[in-house]
């Protein structure tokens, strides 16, 4: 089935300008939402089975429902556009080519939850996208779609576009909130710091990924049943996969939740470079455990990938052919986490550093016989004992390479060189 | 030379701070503004920003050193960020790096060239893995890179930074 939702109009020239967006039905969903009761909007999103597309796959409507209705405090919406998970680049397209789709989704969410101030946090390197989103916010303001009394509804919302400054950990929701408050991006302990209770400036906060909110106008325009009917039982609609590595046509590819991995690679990404066989696939960003060629029939939704021993994560798919050395891949990923650990928790700070050192040693042919077991032991000790999930997100994939491709690690240790031929 | 925003930049600063509920929340954007103005965040700039935002200088220093996009020393005329993470690595980022270093005249693989024209940073995933191997020069992304493409990009640079202009066209 070929159905596109958030990326359907991305090729239309100047779709990132307000007039063109409106010519193609833009902001009609907002009108519809503003004519509904706020609670009915949240309910619609709940029934659509729209899940968070930033990493965890948590149902969006349920998350909105956590925000207290009667609170004297301000409430905030924060959009996560930090997009730092290696392999992920889908939000870049949605920001650059459809900023009004995101803004429309933000207004609808804010109306449903009773929010009057929203921030879009975009990673600092995305300068082009930041400029485009800023321009879109200004256009929406001038057209009465933001600010006071939006479209005569009496509802108010202001949006600020915030430029990050380079740190993967600011993608983690509480790290992002700290960063948005002008601090180092140190994640906060949950409990008590669940954003829905104590978020930005100590107030109840909804935090959603760019793509999650970009789906919202379509859920409202076409109805929850329509959206839910597209995906799998628990994950409604589509998601935008970001595919890179050894495929012929890397790029973004929006497909229904649950599409088989094989179809994604062979029908939508041009198959493999030089027609070589698939050796391994990262199905949901570098924090997701690696899959082998035996898993090409895995359904690419959060449930299917969990059942396959991996996770849906950020939708970033990195495909590797048989010329790839898994020790090299694992060491590359370990270096990333060692660099990005914020250093607050000892198991993460020390663990990511040691695993990376050991793997570099194995790769360089300087390993000791016990090193593979050492790496496994250190990685296992990182899990489940830290403030945020970066440590687990580093340990789980590293363990998956060490176990699924153990023979390659052992070969490196014993022969001080690589066994992978081909290429 | 005293570190101080000229009046029009000070106005930009005031507008920026006014957008946020709390002054401190504007720190990251204010540091971006200061970097644009002064080229990098020296200890003097940290102190000036701390004064403007009524923060202890250590709080500003903490932030400047936590994030990778703030330069702590004067960078070259062009800042090149070459991605070394997985997707770029799988498609030959290493060979690209060697070629790039030779092309810009950088001997030790990172830092600033002796002529002060280029600063090379080897960075983690820039969110453009479909263009692997890729790099950012000042504001703009380039990829997929080949040695020929590198030569073409570097030869095409002037002394002015590469700017993303989204209003043209
Ligand atoms: C280490 C780490 C990094 C993360 N990076 C991102 C990111 O770059 N973008 C993102 O949207 N979510 C990221 N997340 C997930 C967020 O914490 C959060 O779950 C998400 O923003 C919620 O939005 P959603 O429910 O719409 O997916 C990250 C999580 C962790 C633990
Ligand atoms: S798990 Fe790692 S990244 Fe997360 S808070 Fe602890 S040290 Fe920081
Ligand atoms: S791995 Fe290089 S841009 Fe993502």
């Amino acid at each position: 089935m070929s159905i596109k939702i958030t990326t359907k109009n991305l090729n239309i020239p100047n779709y990132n300008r307000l007039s063109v967006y409106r010519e193609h039905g833009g902001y009609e969903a907002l009108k519809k939402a503003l004519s509904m009761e706020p609670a009915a909007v949240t309910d619609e999103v709940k029934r659509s089975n729209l899940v968070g597309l930033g990493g965890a796959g948590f149902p969006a409507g349920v998350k909105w429902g956590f925000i207290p209705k009667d609170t004297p405090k301000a409430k905030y919406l924060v959009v996560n556009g930090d997009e730092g998970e290696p392999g992920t680049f889908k939000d870049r397209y949605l920001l650059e080519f459809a900023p009004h789709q995101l803004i429309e989704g933000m207004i609808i969410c804010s109306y449903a939850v009773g929010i009057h101030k929203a921030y879009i946090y975009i990673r600092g390197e995305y300068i082009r996208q930041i400029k485009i989103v800023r321009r879109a916010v200004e256009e929406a303001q001038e057209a009465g779609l933001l600010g006071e009394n939006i479209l005569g509804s009496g509802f108010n919302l202001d949006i600020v576009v915030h430029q990050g400054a380079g740190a993967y950990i600011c993608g983690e929701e509480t790290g992002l909130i700290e960063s948005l408050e002008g601090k180092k991006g140190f994640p906060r302990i949950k409990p008590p710091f669940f954003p829905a209770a104590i978020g930005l400036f100590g107030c109840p906060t909804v935090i959603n990924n760019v793509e999650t909110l970009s789906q919202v106008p379509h859920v409202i325009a076409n109805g929850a049943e329509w959206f839910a009917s597209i995906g799998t039982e628990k994950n409604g609609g589509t998601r935008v996969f970001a595919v890179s590595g050894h495929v012929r046509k890397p790029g973004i590819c929006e497909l229904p939740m649950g599409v088989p991995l094989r179809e994604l690679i062979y029908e939508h990404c041009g198959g493999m470079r030089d027609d070589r066989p698939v050796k391994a696939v990262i199905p949901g960003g570098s924090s997701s455990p690696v899959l082998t060629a035996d898993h090409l029939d895995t359904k690419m939704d959060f449930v299917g990938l969990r059942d396959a021993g991996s996770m849906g994560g950020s939708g970033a798919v990195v495909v590797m052919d048989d010329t790839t050395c898994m020790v090299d891949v694992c060491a590359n990923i370990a270096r990333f986490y060692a660099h990005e650990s914020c250093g607050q928790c000892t198991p993460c700070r020390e663990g990511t550093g040691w695993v990376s050192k050991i793997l570099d040693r194995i790769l360089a042919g300087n390993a000791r016989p016990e090193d593979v077991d050492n790496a496994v032991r250190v990685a296992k000790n990182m899990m489940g004992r830290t403030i945020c999930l970066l440590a687990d997100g580093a340990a789980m994939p590293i363990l998956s390479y060490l176990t699924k491709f153990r023979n390659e690690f052992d070969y490196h240790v014993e022969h001080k060189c690589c066994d992978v031929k081909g290429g | 030379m005293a570190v101080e925003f000229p009046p029009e930049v000070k106005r930009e600063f005031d507008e920026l701070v006014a957008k946020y509920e709390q002054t401190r929340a504007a720190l990251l954007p204010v540091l971006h503004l200061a970097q644009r103005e002064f080229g990098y965040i020296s200890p003097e700039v940290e102190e000036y920003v701390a004064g403007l935002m009524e923060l202890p200088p250590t709080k500003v220093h903490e932030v400047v050193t936590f994030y990778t996009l703030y330069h702590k020393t004067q960078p070259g005329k062009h800042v090149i960020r070459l991605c070394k993470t997985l997707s770029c690595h799988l498609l030959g980022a290493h060979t690209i790096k060697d070629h790039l270093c030779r092309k810009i005249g950088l001997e030790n693989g990172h830092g600033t060239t002796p002529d002060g024209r280029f600063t090379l940073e080897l960075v983690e995933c820039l969110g453009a893995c479909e263009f692997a191997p890729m790099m950012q020069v000042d504001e703009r992304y380039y990829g997929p890179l080949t040695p020929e493409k590198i030569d073409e990009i570097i030869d095409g640079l002037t002394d002015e930074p590469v700017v993303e202009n989204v209003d043209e066209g």
Side-chain angles (χ1 to χ4, degrees):
Chain A
M1 186 171 49
S2 160
I3 175 153
K4 296 197 192 309
I5 301 174
T6 56
T7 64
K8 180 166 168 250
N9 292 333
L10 254 45
N11 290 328
I12 295 173
N14 295 318
Y15 191 67
N16 60 18
R17 304 308 299 263
L18 178 60
S19 55
V20 179
Y21 182 68
R22 284 192 127 165
E23 275 165 34
H24 292 85
Y27 290 106
E28 290 302 318
L30 173 62
K31 286 183 195 158
K32 184 172 174 190
L34 291 173
S35 72
M36 294 162 69
E37 284 298 316
V41 175
T42 302
D43 190 55
E44 196 76 21
V45 174
K46 270 187 197 158
R47 285 188 296 112
S48 74
N49 288 343
L50 170 64
V51 295
L53 299 164
F58 192 80
V62 176
K63 185 185 271 193
W64 299 3
F66 287 156
I67 302 291
K69 305 242 160 1
D70 308 305
T71 164
K73 290 185 176 174
K75 303 175 202 175
Y76 296 101
L77 168 64
V78 175
V79 180
N80 192 338
D82 199 45
E83 193 155 69
E85 178 79 8
T88 318
F89 48 85
K90 65 185 175 80
D91 295 338
R92 205 184 86 236
Y93 282 83
L94 296 173
L95 293 165
E96 178 167 345
F97 298 104
H100 284 288
Q101 176 174 255
L102 170 63
I103 294 169
E104 186 173 8
M106 291 172 69
I107 308 172
I108 295 172
C109 167
S110 301
Y111 172 74
V113 183
I115 289 167
H116 303 292
K117 182 78 179 264
Y119 290 89
I120 311 179
Y121 188 113
I122 304 178
R123 69 176 293 175
E125 294 91 341
Y126 281 1
I127 292 170
R128 179 174 180 79
Q129 292 71 23
I130 290 170
K131 288 183 183 179
I132 287 172
V133 176
R134 285 219 168 105
R135 181 178 68 186
V137 168
E138 281 165 21
E139 284 179 330
Q141 245 150 12
E142 280 160 24
L145 292 158
L146 285 175
E148 306 262 315
N149 192 17
I150 293 170
L151 298 174
S153 64
F155 178 69
N156 309 330
L157 178 69
D158 287 314
I159 294 183
V160 174
V161 180
H162 186 91
Q163 181 182 10
Y168 167 67
I169 196 56
C170 293
E172 195 280 337
E173 54 190 18
T174 60
L176 187 146
I177 288 171
E178 281 281 303
S179 175
L180 193 47
E181 291 182 359
K183 304 172 198 159
K184 293 179 286 188
F186 273 5
R188 299 171 173 173
I189 292 191
K190 301 190 255 187
F193 292 103
F194 287 110
I198 313 174
L200 185 62
F201 308 128
C203 298
T205 302
V206 173
I207 174 158
N208 271 133
N209 172 258
V210 168
E211 186 187 355
T212 314
L213 288 161
S214 299
Q215 293 273 20
V216 168
H218 307 282
V219 170
I220 297 303
N222 301 306
E225 286 67 32
W226 166 81
F227 194 82
S229 75
I230 294 166
T232 55
E233 194 194 332
K234 294 227 166 72
N235 299 168
T238 55
R239 88 176 297 186
V240 182
F241 295 98
V243 188
S244 63
H246 297 146
V247 290
R248 280 212 180 85
K249 289 195 290 179
I252 54 163
C253 193
E254 183 180 7
L255 288 162
M257 283 281 190
V259 62
L261 176 54
R262 188 188 304 279
E263 184 184 322
L264 176 62
I265 296 173
Y266 289 95
E267 284 177 36
H268 303 280
C269 296
M272 298 296 287
R273 174 183 80 167
D274 305 329
D275 287 321
R276 302 200 75 99
V278 171
K279 177 171 181 179
V281 180
I282 296 174
S286 67
S287 304
S288 61
V290 68
L291 298 178
T292 59
D294 301 338
H295 283 104
L296 287 179
D297 295 312
T298 303
K299 281 180 176 277
M300 298 288 280
D301 66 335
F302 287 90
V303 179
L305 282 163
R306 193 189 56 212
D307 291 348
S310 189
M311 58 187 220
S314 64
V317 180
V318 185
V319 186
M320 296 168 260
D321 68 17
D322 63 337
T323 65
T324 315
C325 166
M326 287 299 141
V327 180
D328 187 31
V329 170
C330 188
N332 185 285
I333 289 177
R335 260 175 251 137
F336 171 81
Y337 289 104
H339 182 258
E340 300 299 337
S341 166
C342 84
Q344 276 191 103
C345 319
T346 311
C348 175
R349 181 187 62 240
E350 301 299 318
T352 51
W354 277 110
V355 169
S356 175
K357 270 196 199 113
I358 297 170
L359 289 169
D360 276 340
R361 206 152 73 197
I362 298 174
L363 186 64
N366 302 323
R368 302 165 198 160
E370 67 279 12
D371 269 352
V372 183
D373 288 329
N374 274 340
V376 170
R377 192 169 44 80
V378 177
K380 282 191 174 154
N381 279 329
M382 287 162 58
M383 306 211 322
R385 17 174 85 106
T386 54
I387 294 174
C388 89
L389 284 173
L390 181 139
D392 292 72
M396 286 181 315
I398 287 167
L399 284 169
S400 74
Y401 296 98
L402 285 166
T403 43
K404 290 182 182 164
F405 297 97
R406 171 90 197 204
N407 57 332
E408 289 188 29
F409 290 84
D410 287 340
Y411 190 95
H412 273 260
V413 172
E414 195 179 331
H415 298 89
K416 311 206 173 301
C417 65
C418 184
D419 181 32
V420 177
K421 294 174 194 73
Chain B
M1 186 186 66
V3 168
E4 198 180 335
F5 285 150
E8 69 279 8
V9 182
K10 178 66 174 43
R11 262 196 302 281
E12 243 182 283
F13 165 83
D14 291 332
E15 281 168 21
L16 210 50
V17 171
K19 289 183 182 174
Y20 292 81
E21 276 62 17
Q22 297 178 0
T23 307
R24 183 176 183 176
L27 183 55
L28 266 58
V30 167
L31 286 168
H32 283 302
L33 185 70
Q35 179 152 294
R36 193 192 75 196
E37 200 51 34
F38 305 116
Y40 68 104
I41 310 291
S42 64
E44 294 74 33
V45 172
E46 277 180 10
E47 260 186 58
Y48 174 63
V49 168
L52 280 180
M53 304 196 68
E54 297 175 10
L55 283 172
T58 52
K59 295 287 168 202
V60 178
H61 182 69
E62 245 174 45
V63 165
V64 171
T65 49
F66 186 80
Y67 296 94
T68 57
L69 294 184
Y70 301 124
H71 302 293
K72 287 91 198 168
T73 54
Q74 179 70 52
K77 290 196 172 93
H78 298 287
V79 175
I80 304 178
R81 298 197 176 90
L82 182 71
C83 174
K84 60 175 167 156
T85 315
L86 189 58
S87 303
C88 289
H89 181 72
L90 287 172
L91 290 163
H94 206 77
T95 329
I96 289 298
K97 181 194 149 198
D98 294 343
H99 183 85
L100 180 62
C101 286
R102 271 196 305 277
K103 178 74 187 170
I104 62 177
L106 194 62
E107 281 182 4
N108 61 355
H110 64 92
T112 303
T113 52
D115 62 3
R117 259 199 107 205
F118 299 99
T119 294
L120 175 65
E121 296 174 357
L122 301 174
V123 300
E124 300 294 354
C125 181
L126 286 169
C129 329
E130 79 276 40
F131 296 130
M134 62 78 62
M135 67 178 178
Q136 180 174 25
V137 181
D138 306 325
E139 294 192 352
R140 195 170 297 169
Y141 279 17
Y142 296 91
L145 298 171
T146 58
E148 297 71 41
K149 194 135 179 217
I150 294 258
D151 291 350
E152 203 182 294
I153 295 162
I154 299 297
D155 291 339
L157 294 174
T158 64
D159 276 353
E160 292 304 311
V162 183
V163 177
E164 279 287 0
N165 187 352
V166 297
D167 285 322
E168 68 192 14

